[in-house]
Amino acid sequence: GAVVSQHPSWVICKSGTSVKIECRSLDFQATTMFWYRQFPKQSLMLMATSNEGSKATYEQGVEKDKFLINHASLTLSTLTVTSAHPEDSSFYICSARAPVQGADTQYFGPGTRLTVL
Amino acid sequence: AQSVTQLGSHVSVSEGALVLLRCNYSSSVPPYLFWYVQYPNQGLQLLLKYTSAATLVKGINGFEAEFKKSETSFHLTKPSAHMSDAAEYFCAVSDIFGQGGKLIFGQGTELSVKP
């Protein structure tokens, strides 16, 4: 149980284009999902918290107009990188919060490797 | 504010040897603590979690961790390393009261296992 999927697993795009990444909780409902980015050999940096039916909460320093997050249902959140540039190339990972016996646990997707040329 | 410090960005052990990955936390409220493992180009997999019940927590793949409040530590151990344990390990802390379950991660420790 508690499986989270991401699509696509990798994407290459040209500078200036937009890319959408999907995050799905497959066997549970997630009122909250999180989006992280990870640079090589580094830890995960939280970008935003996505709550179903409301606006995402962005971490300090993350451009909300560049990284659009939509959480339209209890099983799907999307991250759109708008007007992507080479510096946006990174590994993007989502997680879904699954309350279990009072202890919230995040289950992570497999990640999406974005390369912007 | 909460924070996590993982001592040692890289740990190398021989196959069959004890694995010890260190994690110290800082939290002004009772923490929830987690260990995750990440294999190359993959997401994170939950190894174990501490949720204020038993201080010795057993996880998957033979790993366990002990919560020591006096030392503000949550070190991860495994009695005998296997080649398949080679991966990146992340310790994380969560404040369930004020942060909506947001996780604060440590810097990560890369575990290498020598044959």
Side-chain angles (χ1 to χ4, degrees):
Chain A
V3 178
V4 177
S5 69
Q6 276 184 248
H7 178 78
S9 55
W10 58 269
V11 57
I12 301 174
C13 69
K14 293 182 178 180
S15 185
T17 61
S18 295
V19 174
K20 179 184 285 188
I21 303 170
E22 292 185 349
C23 177
R24 294 181 184 272
S25 56
L26 299 185
D27 51 2
F28 65 99
Q29 294 184 330
T31 55
T32 304
M33 291 183 173
F34 302 86
W35 286 96
Y36 300 83
R37 67 185 298 181
Q38 184 182 32
F39 293 105
K41 300 294 185 182
Q42 294 189 26
S43 188
L44 280 71
M45 183 192 80
L46 179 65
M47 300 175 67
T49 302
S50 169
N51 293 298
E52 188 267 337
S54 64
K55 291 183 179 181
T57 302
Y58 290 81
E59 294 299 302
Q60 191 173 10
V62 178
E63 300 175 59
K64 62 181 66 177
D65 294 332
K66 180 167 186 62
F67 298 100
L68 300 179
I69 291 173
N70 183 272
H71 195 156
S73 77
L74 288 172
T75 58
L76 173 64
S77 176
T78 60
L79 168 68
T80 301
V81 183
T82 62
S83 186
H85 288 91
E87 57 266 30
D88 298 323
S89 298
S90 188
F91 194 52
Y92 291 87
I93 307 175
C94 74
S95 70
R97 183 178 164 200
V100 176
Q101 296 179 341
D104 291 349
T105 301
Q106 288 186 32
Y107 293 90
F108 286 79
T112 297
R113 174 76 59 192
L114 170 63
T115 302
V116 185
L117 302 177
Chain B
Q2 295 182 306
S3 66
V4 171
T5 301
Q6 291 183 240
L7 299 177
S9 59
H10 186 234
V11 170
S12 181
V13 300
S14 298
E15 191 173 20
L18 171 71
V19 175
L20 171 60
L21 304 183
R22 299 178 187 274
C23 172
N24 287 89
Y25 71 92
S26 173
S27 178
S28 58
V29 298
Y32 282 3
L33 294 159
F34 305 81
W35 274 100
Y36 286 89
V37 61
Q38 184 181 34
Y39 296 98
N41 295 308
Q42 295 187 28
L44 276 66
Q45 180 182 10
L46 179 67
L47 280 177
L48 49 81
K49 59 185 178 184
Y50 166 75
T51 58
S52 72
T55 56
L56 182 62
V57 182
K58 294 187 183 297
I60 62 171
N61 301 339
F63 285 94
E64 63 181 38
E66 186 172 8
F67 173 71
K68 292 186 176 181
K69 184 177 179 180
S70 61
E71 299 178 7
T72 61
S73 68
F74 190 58
H75 302 331
L76 182 71
T77 61
K78 182 174 180 177
S80 177
H82 192 271
M83 297 296 291
S84 60
D85 295 327
E88 187 85 18
Y89 291 80
F90 292 97
C91 181
V93 63
S94 172
D95 170 13
I96 65 163
F97 298 113
Q99 297 293 327
K102 188 161 57 175
L103 285 173
I104 307 299
F105 283 92
Q107 306 91 314
T109 298
E110 182 180 5
L111 175 65
S112 300
V113 182
K114 299 174 291 186

